[in-house]
Amino acid sequence: MEKERSEFSSPDWYEVVYAAVRAIPCGKVATYGQIAGTVSSISLTARQVGAAMRFAPQGVPWQRVVGAGGRLPIARRSPELKLLQIRLLAQEGVEFYSGDHDRIDMARSQYSADIDSK
DNA sequence: GATCTGACCACCG
DNA sequence: CCGGTGGCCAGAT
């Protein structure tokens, strides 16, 4: 069924990205590059994923998408969103490095896609 | 159709 | 650890 999105010029592939983000379970996070890799049907880069997140509608857990190495590149754009993301993730049980609330413990909370069990 | 920009990422110093 | 640079691909002008 078609989606009415005349308010913004959101390309079709946005929906695909959102679907991948929704697939991230609670308490886990994925990197932008990871999402881009998950959507192998199209050739997307991490930047494209970020651009899509900006238009993320309600129901999409955008907070579970983080930068590589557990960093929060969103901080450059909006310090407020950074704090919001940290708070939301902490609520879901995602752990941060001790003493550094800006970094996520990827080794523990990164979502392993079905690509390869490693 | 050329150019700039971007919720990125890896590399180097 | 911090900052700059190039590469990536799609949208906006």
Side-chain angles (χ1 to χ4, degrees):
Chain A
M1 46 250 213
E2 298 88 63
K3 297 294 169 63
E4 198 60 47
R5 40 170 128 67
S6 43
E7 306 173 30
F8 296 100
S9 21
S10 8
D12 301 338
W13 57 266
Y14 274 36
E15 298 297 329
V16 186
V17 175
Y18 298 147
V21 176
R22 284 200 199 93
I24 306 173
C26 189
K28 294 278 182 176
V29 296
T31 67
Y32 288 92
Q34 218 179 335
I35 297 297
T38 301
V39 188
S40 54
S41 45
I42 332 170
S43 208
L44 284 177
T45 62
R47 271 201 163 146
Q48 266 47 288
V49 177
M53 298 318 296
R54 202 171 165 201
F55 288 80
Q58 205 172 28
V60 177
W62 60 268
Q63 67 252 29
R64 293 179 194 157
V65 184
V66 302
R71 293 187 313 234
L72 303 176
I74 188 180
R76 286 193 153 165
R77 240 200 98 74
S78 171
E80 296 191 13
L81 284 177
K82 181 191 74 172
L83 291 174
L84 175 62
Q85 182 171 24
I86 291 176
R87 207 167 69 194
L88 288 172
L89 289 175
Q91 249 181 88
E92 296 182 356
V94 176
E95 301 185 21
F96 289 75
Y97 286 118
S98 308
D100 196 340
H101 280 268
D102 290 2
R103 276 287 190 76
I104 296 174
D105 192 344
M106 295 302 281
R108 295 237 277 177
S109 303
Q110 184 168 29
Y111 167 61
S112 324
D114 52 284
I115 317 170
D116 211 324
S117 37
K118 173 58 195 293

